[in-house]
Amino acid sequence: MTPNSSDSDASIKDHLQQLEARIDDLESENESLRETVTEQSDQIEAQQEQIETLEEENTRLEAVTQAALKKADANKDRIAELQTRELEKGAHLLADHVDPDSLADGVDRLERFTKEDDTYMRIPDSDDPLDRGGSVTLSHGDLLPIQQLAQMDDDMLRSATNSLPSRLAAKLWKARTDPSVGDDPWQEGCKGVREYVKASDMKHWIRRQETGVSDAYAKKLVSRTIDALLELSKNRLAIRKQTERKNGLPYTERRVLLKSDASIPGETAESADSPETAGVHG
């Protein structure tokens, strides 16, 4: 064998050994990859099973949720029906527990008001048959000036204002709202008017209130008292001229009106086409 032939055989042998070593490495790497793929396949299968389990649980929870929502809606309707009927009976319900928009037909208007212990809702001017929570309270600052003055006794009223028309206006307002006063010239109205007082009746009332006042001066006091009523009520009152007849002859007389839709703290405007809430704050 020639030297060149021997070197060639050795080179081929070394190359084969390298190839075999490379094949072993590739087979080892391939085995490792197969194991990795198997592990990942197992993980994917496990995750797929978990997803299927979660989907089944989600379907179950959706069914439970829908049933709960349906029951809640039914309970809400029942509560609205019960609240509506209780309000119609005059109940005072805690404001936080009442959703005016959900009430059944039959309640056209609600008012929110404050009692000694909490804030309530009721149909306007309804007295609680159970008399719970104390009396309705209003803070002094929430009242109209005419209401503030009407709360005062004669001495306090004189200290608060030296205007006789203002004092008369306060007393006239008190006569309307306080049955204990007795001498009340206000009359029940109709067609959008809650109450009214005639100028002629006001004149006689003033003469009963102020001893020694002449008829002529009482007429002047009527106009000034009407002006005071408008100012102190912040124009919640209105003036209307009404044609009447006396001894067969027509004449025009002024009337001071408290309209049904007038917003008076502690009192409420009447009726509306849809449920509303009028505020009476304490």
Side-chain angles (χ1 to χ4, degrees), residues 31-94:
E31 181 64 26
S32 177
L33 288 173
R34 280 198 297 267
E35 290 177 356
T36 300
V37 169
T38 300
E39 290 177 359
Q40 291 178 343
S41 297
D42 292 341
Q43 290 177 358
I44 291 172
E45 186 177 350
Q47 289 174 348
Q48 186 64 38
E49 291 178 356
Q50 186 177 11
I51 289 172
E52 291 175 357
T53 301
L54 291 174
E55 287 178 344
E56 291 176 358
E57 179 65 11
N58 187 56
T59 301
R60 186 187 70 82
L61 291 176
E62 284 183 351
V64 170
T65 301
Q66 290 299 322
L69 289 174
K70 185 176 181 180
K71 184 175 181 180
D73 288 340
N75 287 337
K76 185 177 181 180
D77 291 341
R78 294 187 188 102
I79 291 171
E81 177 71 17
L82 289 173
Q83 286 184 335
T84 300
R85 302 313 164 218
E86 290 303 313
L87 287 166
E88 289 176 332
K89 296 174 185 176
H92 294 178
L93 303 181
L94 287 171

Side-chain angles (χ1 to χ4, degrees), residues 11-29:
S11 176
I12 291 172
K13 185 177 181 180
D14 289 341
H15 184 65
L16 288 173
Q17 289 176 345
Q18 290 176 3
L19 289 175
E20 289 175 353
R22 177 59 178 160
I23 290 171
D24 290 341
D25 290 341
L26 289 174
E27 287 180 348
S28 176
E29 183 178 352

Side-chain angles (χ1 to χ4, degrees), residues 170-220:
K171 290 180 178 180
L172 186 61
W173 185 272
K174 185 175 183 179
R176 185 188 72 83
T177 57
D178 187 352
S180 66
V181 171
D183 191 355
D184 178 11
W186 293 83
Q187 299 182 48
E188 184 176 350
C190 63
K191 296 181 180 179
V193 176
R194 199 185 315 177
E195 292 171 275
Y196 70 92
V197 58
K198 296 180 181 179
S200 58
D201 292 339
M202 193 184 301
K203 182 191 72 172
H204 297 306
W205 177 84
I206 288 173
R207 295 193 69 186
R208 293 194 298 271
Q209 298 297 311
E210 299 293 321
T211 304
V213 170
S214 66
D215 188 77
Y217 185 45
K219 287 183 180 179
K220 293 181 180 180

